[in-house]
Amino acid sequence: MSDTDFDHIIVGAGTAGCLLANRLSADASRRVLLIEAGGKDDYHWVHIPVGYLYCIGNPRTDWLYQTEPSAGLNGRSLRYPRGKVLGGCSSINGMIYMRGQARDYAQWAELTGDARWNWDESLPYFKLHEDHFLGANEWHGAKDAPAQVLQHGQTLYHQTLRQRHAGGEWRIEKQRLRWDILDAFAQAAQQAGIPATPDFNRGNNEGVAYFEVNQKKGWRWNTAKAFLRPTCYGRPNVEIWTHAQVTRLLWQTLPDGRTRCSGVEVFDGHGMRQLSAHHSVVMCAGAIGTPQLLQLSGAGPAAALQALGIPPVLDLPGVGANLQDHLQIRAVFKIQGATTLNTRARDAWGKAAIGLEYLLKRSGPMSMAPSQLGAFTRSNPALPWPNLQYHVQPLSLDAFGEPLHAFPAFTASVCNLNPTSRGTVSLQSPRFEDAPLIAPNYLATDEDRQVAADSLRLTRRIVAQPALAPYQPEEWKPGVMHQTDDDLARLAGDIGTTIFHPVGTARMGKRDDPMAVVDSELRVRDGRGSVVQGLRIADASVMPTITSGNTNSPVLMIAERAAEWLATSTDHHG
C-alpha cells in the first residue's frame, strides 16, 4: 500500500474511535488510520479529574460550539462542549460510568428489528472492555478475567483478540472522596422513597449512591490511555494523525450502480489530501461531527443540501434530525454547618490544602468528577421506571465557568432521562471550517415541560426531609416563590443547561424507516433501499433514543459491536 492507502480509516479519535483503532489493528494484516481534528492529550488538565474546568471552553480541547437560541430556554443559547483532542469527550467529560436501563436497549431492538441490541445481548460487550474495581462478576468485567465474548467467539477476530490479551482496558473505580452534605442528601433521598443502590449498572438504575467513575488511582482514564497507549502506538500497522480534519467523504459508483465510500479528504493544516480505504471508512465524529460531515459530503436532506450548493449524493432526510439531549435543571440550596467546595476553595490557604491533598494522596476535590452523588427516580410514582437522574454537587455557581459562590451551598441538578423534544444539526454553509447549526429544541413538548415542573417539586421534597434539616437548606435558586406548573416550566427554561449528552442524529432503524440513517449493523443507507458499501457509523449519533443516563459508556459498547461486525464482515467493502 502507498502512504495514502489504508484498509480502515476511522474518522475521529474520541470515545469510539480509540476503541475501534485498538480492535481493528489487532489483526496485523490490516492497515488502520485514526484521524483526529484536535491534538494529543498531553495537556495536564486532561488527566487531573477537576481539569474539565480548564478543558471545556478551551480551544485546545473543545470545539467551542454554541446552540441556536431556543424558545424552550426563553431565547437563550448554550455553550455546547465537544472534545477536540485524543480521547474526544472522554478527555473532558464527567467521567461517570453509566450504562442506562435495560429498557433502553429493548427499545433499540424494537426500533431496529434486531434482537442483538437487547440488554442481555449488549451486556457482554460492555463487560468485554471493563476493568471494574470489584473484579469480574455477573454484571461486570475485569482485566484479569477472560471476557465471555472472547471465550465463546470462534471467529478469527475473537482468536486474534484472545492472542492479543484484549479486554479489560476501561477502568472503573470508586470516587476518592465523600462529603457530609452529600451523605445527608443520600439519606434524605431514601427518606423520600428513593432506595439506596449498590450498583447503578445492572439494568435498573433506580436508587441513590455515589457515582462510579472512569479513573485510575486518582487520574482521569480516557480512551486514549485505555485503547491507544501503549497498544496502538506499538503496532506498525496503525497510524494516528492529529490536527487533521476530514472535510468530506469520497464516493464511488460501482458497476452494479451501488454507491461505495472509497475514502476521505483531509485537511492536515497545510493542504488537502485524499486517502483511500480498501475495506471501510468508520465515522466516529460524534452526534454533532458525524451529521455535519455527512451533509458536507452530500449525504442528507437533498433539498437542504441543494440550497447550500452541495450536490446530493444520498438523499437521507434523517441525517441531522432526531437530536436528543439531557437538559439539567440546577437547583441551588444555601446551607449552614457543613463544608462545601465553596468554603474549602474560598481563599489561597484552602486552595493550597486541596492541591496538597491531591499531590500526596490523589484524593479530595481535585480528584472530583463534576458530580459526585447520583440518584435515579420517577417524576410521577405511577411511572413504571425511573425517568429522572440527579447529579448532586457540594458546590454552587451562577453558571459553568463562573466563580463559586461565597456562601456554603449544594446543587441538585435533575434531568429528564427520556425527553420527547427533538432537535437538529444542520449546516450553516458548505465550508468545513464553519461550525454547524445546533438546535436541541429543549422543552418543546408539553410532556417535557410537565416533567421539568414535577422534577423541581421532587427536589424540594427531598430537601425537606429530616436528614438535611440540621443544615437548614434554603432554596436560593430558582426560589420558593415559584410554585405553579407554568412558573416552574418557565424557570426550567431560565436555569436549564445541557449535561452534554447529544445523541441520535444518524439513527439506526428498520429498512422501511425513512428517517433511519444506518441499519442495525451500523451500515449507512443509500436512500434507495440498500446500503452504502464501505461506510459505517459507530458513535452516539446512531442511538435511536437516548439512554437513561450518561452516554459515554454506551458509545463504547456500540464501538465494540461495530469492531466485531467490521472484522468479521465477508464483504471486503465493510
Side-chain angles (χ1 to χ4, degrees), residues 30-104:
R30 295 175 183 255
R31 191 163 182 232
V32 177
L33 172 63
L34 178 62
I35 305 175
E36 170 55 41
K40 295 180 178 179
D41 60 328
D42 54 4
Y43 183 40
H44 65 282
W45 284 118
V46 167
H47 307 291
I48 299 171
V50 79
Y52 69 91
L53 292 168
Y54 306 99
C55 293
I56 291 175
N58 183 340
R60 182 170 179 172
T61 48
D62 183 1
W63 281 95
L64 305 179
Y65 293 136
Q66 291 280 137
T67 68
E68 296 299 291
S70 172
L73 300 184
N74 304 321
R76 292 187 301 132
S77 65
L78 301 178
R79 177 189 292 182
Y80 217 63
R82 297 284 86 199
K84 188 180 182 181
V85 61
L86 284 182
C89 289
S90 77
S91 293
I92 69 170
N93 70 0
M95 296 165 282
I96 293 171
Y97 182 76
M98 191 65 59
R99 296 170 177 164
Q101 298 172 17
R103 66 182 177 92
D104 301 329

Side-chain angles (χ1 to χ4, degrees), residues 213-226:
V213 291
N214 295 120
Q215 294 182 10
K216 191 168 188 177
K217 298 180 179 178
W219 299 98
R220 175 190 289 273
W221 195 246
N222 67 356
T223 55
K225 290 178 184 173

Side-chain angles (χ1 to χ4, degrees), residues 61-401:
T61 48
D62 183 1
W63 281 95
L64 305 179
Y65 293 136
Q66 291 280 137
T67 68
E68 296 299 291
S70 172
L73 300 184
N74 304 321
R76 292 187 301 132
S77 65
L78 301 178
R79 177 189 292 182
Y80 217 63
R82 297 284 86 199
K84 188 180 182 181
V85 61
L86 284 182
C89 289
S90 77
S91 293
I92 69 170
N93 70 0
M95 296 165 282
I96 293 171
Y97 182 76
M98 191 65 59
R99 296 170 177 164
Q101 298 172 17
R103 66 182 177 92
D104 301 329
Y105 302 96
Q107 190 172 22
W108 291 9
E110 180 181 356
L111 291 171
T112 61
D114 191 337
R116 290 175 296 179
W117 287 107
N118 272 313
W119 168 260
D120 288 343
E121 297 293 322
S122 297
L123 181 58
Y125 292 89
F126 281 109
K127 294 170 65 176
L128 171 55
H129 52 257
E130 279 188 356
D131 183 21
H132 196 273
F133 71 97
L134 290 178
N137 57 36
E138 179 183 359
W139 304 106
H140 294 289
K143 181 66 176 176
D144 57 358
Q148 173 187 343
V149 171
L150 300 188
Q151 281 184 304
H152 298 161
Q154 298 302 314
T155 68
L156 178 61
Y157 172 69
H158 297 115
Q159 294 171 17
T160 301
L161 292 190
R162 285 197 296 269
Q163 292 167 2
R164 294 280 196 172
H165 303 290
E169 299 92 350
W170 193 230
R171 182 65 178 169
I172 303 159
E173 293 190 349
K174 291 177 65 174
Q175 294 184 66
R176 301 163 76 89
L177 52 77
R178 54 165 294 279
W179 296 82
D180 289 343
I181 190 62
L182 297 187
D183 293 345
F185 189 96
Q187 293 168 15
Q190 292 172 60
Q191 291 167 347
I194 303 172
T197 181
D199 189 351
F200 285 127
N201 288 297
R202 296 180 179 178
N204 178 1
N205 52 19
E206 187 162 23
V208 60
Y210 280 88
F211 290 121
E212 293 174 357
V213 291
N214 295 120
Q215 294 182 10
K216 191 168 188 177
K217 298 180 179 178
W219 299 98
R220 175 190 289 273
W221 195 246
N222 67 356
T223 55
K225 290 178 184 173
F227 299 104
L228 298 185
R229 287 195 302 274
T231 308
C232 287
Y233 283 101
R235 291 176 177 170
N237 60 321
V238 181
E239 290 189 28
I240 301 171
W241 292 7
T242 55
H243 299 293
Q245 185 170 351
V246 176
T247 63
R248 65 186 178 101
L249 306 175
L250 303 178
W251 308 108
Q252 173 187 7
T253 301
L254 299 173
D256 61 4
R258 293 184 298 171
T259 300
R260 176 174 180 264
C261 181
S262 59
V264 299
E265 184 177 81
V266 182
F267 180 70
D268 63 5
H270 304 287
M272 294 293 185
R273 301 182 65 181
Q274 291 197 348
L275 311 175
S276 297
H278 293 282
H279 187 286
S280 60
V281 171
V282 191
M283 298 187 66
C284 301
I288 306 302
T290 285
Q292 178 191 19
L293 182 55
L294 284 170
Q295 291 173 83
L296 287 170
S297 306
L305 298 179
Q306 288 171 331
L308 290 171
I310 299 173
V313 177
L314 307 172
D315 185 8
L316 296 173
V319 172
N322 193 49
L323 174 62
Q324 299 161 59
D325 191 14
H326 290 141
L327 182 75
Q328 62 174 338
I329 304 169
R330 297 168 56 87
V332 174
F333 295 86
K334 291 183 177 181
I335 60 168
Q336 299 181 33
T339 299
T340 70
L341 190 61
N342 293 13
T343 50
R344 283 199 65 181
R346 179 179 297 168
D347 54 34
W349 288 109
K351 292 174 182 175
I354 288 170
L356 186 62
E357 180 180 0
Y358 186 74
L359 180 65
L360 297 177
K361 300 180 180 179
R362 296 288 181 266
S363 62
M366 287 188 69
S367 73
M368 279 172 48
S371 298
Q372 297 79 53
L373 187 76
F376 291 82
T377 188
R378 307 154 200 247
S379 63
N380 182 330
L383 291 173
W385 50 66
N387 69 324
L388 298 179
Q389 180 180 7
Y390 279 90
H391 294 77
V392 192
Q393 307 152 329
L395 55 87
S396 65
L397 36 75
D398 286 334
F400 188 87

